[in-house]
Amino acid sequence: MKKNKILSLTLLGSLLSISGAEASRSFDNIIRPFQSARSSGMGGVRYTTGLYEENFFANPARMADNKKWRLDIINMLVELNSGSIRNVGKLTKSGDKIENLAETAGTNNHVRIQTVIPAFYTPHFFAERNSFAVGLVQSTQADISLRKNMSIEPDVFMDIGPAVSFARKFAEEDRVAVGVTAHYSYRVATRDTFSTIDYIKGTSFKSVSDVAGEGNKVDFDLGARHNIAWRPHDWDLQSAFAINNVIGSEYKSGLDLISGTQPTPVKQPRTVNAGVAARRDSLFGLGATTLAFEIQDIGNNSGGSLFRLIHFGGEIAMKDTLFLRAGFNQGYLCAGVGIDLPVLKLDFSTYGEEMSLNTGGQEDRRYAARIGIAL
């Protein structure tokens, strides 16, 4: 059996060595602790358009624009990419598991499972102009690829912790709002790479501590939005600005939920984000329409192209319950649909995420679905 494994590993190395640069490419995607099926269908815009749970990790000032209170009982998002969907069949088919693994070389396997439950939101908190929200957020994301040097490149992390937001409106007609969100986050994350040989032999997979480290931290988001007085052709304009992870602190060990000596996870950097949105009650005989343009993740794009920071998109409401969405995320086409019923909330989207440092380098096509039950 050991000889067969060694032979299979040799074949694997041969296959990967001729698979070209695609298999050896290291992924450099932007890591985000939160994703929304609604905003991803709109090109990723959320600092000028975010509602409810979208603002826990975007612009806390937008909490002031939630129209009514809400209590989330179920709020779950599941996201897969086209690579993981294709590779499930390759990895589970009969035959030599090393050869099956080699067939997945050069593709990213992405999955995210995210919940925001329980969560409570109110647009009036002890005063007409105050808004408040609190929720427990859990997000597990994995991006795993096999490289031609016979190493597996995992980028897996799990975050869990509460988020508390407060926003207040100011000025005439509440044109200005400012907000703050406080996060406590416990994170478990994998180390950079490990050998395929270790995977086959099982020598480095005896416990979680062999492949992952942990840490925790407290950080803050600050945000503002301004409803512009000028209304060209009945369009309502809103500008927004936010700084996420203001402290930009490192994850610190101390909980020791995972024994071992793995280093703490790489920190989530401070980011600067800004944008402008235009809204109109009706357009071409259809319902309320929103369009937005944003520049995001300034500070979380080390060595990357400026175009990876650009997001554009919007949505059109159909009879206040059905929403059609479209946009461009980092230059890739996005689309989505949302159903907003009194209790049931459903969102579906597809979008392209850039996995290289330059837009157009390597698209990762992803599909997200969210189900929510709220009072």
Side-chain angles (χ1 to χ4, degrees), residues 156-177:
V156 183
F157 68 86
M158 186 277 287
D159 289 339
I160 187 169
V164 181
S165 294
F166 176 83
R168 181 171 173 82
K169 300 174 184 176
F170 297 92
E172 182 182 356
E173 298 181 342
D174 298 332
R175 292 194 180 279
V176 177

Side-chain angles (χ1 to χ4, degrees), residues 5-20 23 98-99 101-102 105 146-151 196-197:
K5 287 185 176 181
I6 293 173
L7 178 59
S8 296
L9 285 171
T10 303
L11 291 173
L12 174 62
S14 300
L15 286 169
L16 295 177
S17 65
I18 62 175
S19 59
I98 310 301
E99 294 179 0
L101 181 63
L146 177 66
R147 303 177 64 183
K148 80 169 188 178
N149 62 359
M150 298 178 65
S151 66
T196 306
I197 296 176

Side-chain angles (χ1 to χ4, degrees), residues 56-280:
F56 280 137
F57 289 87
N59 185 358
R62 283 283 303 171
M63 288 288 182
D65 293 326
N66 292 332
K67 294 183 178 180
K68 58 184 180 180
W69 72 271
R70 195 175 89 180
L71 175 64
D72 283 348
I73 300 172
I74 295 176
N75 190 339
M76 174 180 286
L77 174 140
V78 176
E79 181 179 87
L80 300 171
N81 73 335
S82 55
S84 62
I85 295 173
R86 291 194 307 267
N87 289 336
V88 165
K90 296 177 182 178
L91 294 172
T92 57
K93 71 179 181 179
S94 60
D96 190 288
K97 67 176 182 178
I98 310 301
E99 294 179 0
N100 296 344
L101 181 63
E103 292 183 23
T104 70
T107 61
N108 182 45
N109 298 281
H110 171 85
V111 61
R112 182 195 285 266
I113 300 175
Q114 178 180 283
T115 60
V116 188
I117 48 175
F120 174 73
Y121 314 85
T122 176
H124 308 298
F125 184 66
F126 293 107
E128 189 71 18
R129 286 183 158 184
N130 295 343
S131 302
F132 176 80
V134 59
L136 179 64
V137 184
Q138 179 281 137
S139 181
T140 301
Q141 175 178 320
D143 289 280
I144 302 174
S145 65
L146 177 66
R147 303 177 64 183
K148 80 169 188 178
N149 62 359
M150 298 178 65
S151 66
I152 296 174
E153 182 179 357
D155 198 349
V156 183
F157 68 86
M158 186 277 287
D159 289 339
I160 187 169
V164 181
S165 294
F166 176 83
R168 181 171 173 82
K169 300 174 184 176
F170 297 92
E172 182 182 356
E173 298 181 342
D174 298 332
R175 292 194 180 279
V176 177
V178 296
V180 58
T181 296
H183 301 276
Y184 170 79
S185 179
Y186 169 76
R187 172 172 285 191
V188 177
T190 55
R191 67 179 191 238
D192 291 338
T193 59
F194 53 83
S195 169
T196 306
I197 296 176
D198 290 336
Y199 168 73
I200 300 302
K201 294 170 63 178
T203 55
S204 295
F205 296 86
K206 296 178 181 179
S207 67
V208 175
S209 62
D210 291 328
V211 295
E214 64 172 356
N216 66 100
K217 72 169 186 173
V218 175
D219 218 321
F220 301 88
D221 300 337
L222 297 175
R225 67 100 172 112
H226 175 224
N227 293 333
I228 300 170
W230 180 46
R231 300 182 71 246
H233 303 286
D234 296 326
W235 285 93
D236 294 315
L237 304 180
Q238 184 181 94
S239 61
F241 177 84
I243 302 176
N244 298 116
N245 298 312
V246 173
I247 300 176
S249 58
E250 303 276 353
Y251 287 93
K252 297 180 180 179
S253 59
L255 293 183
D256 294 327
L257 299 182
I258 298 176
S259 60
T261 59
Q262 289 296 328
T264 56
V266 176
K267 73 176 182 178
Q268 194 71 36
R270 180 187 305 112
T271 63
V272 176
N273 315 270
V276 62
R279 297 177 177 85
R280 188 170 174 173

Side-chain angles (χ1 to χ4, degrees), residues 288 315-318 320-325 336-340:
E315 68 178 359
I316 297 178
M318 312 291 287
D320 297 327
T321 58
L322 178 66
F323 296 83
L324 303 181
R325 299 160 183 150
V337 60
I339 300 172
D340 190 355

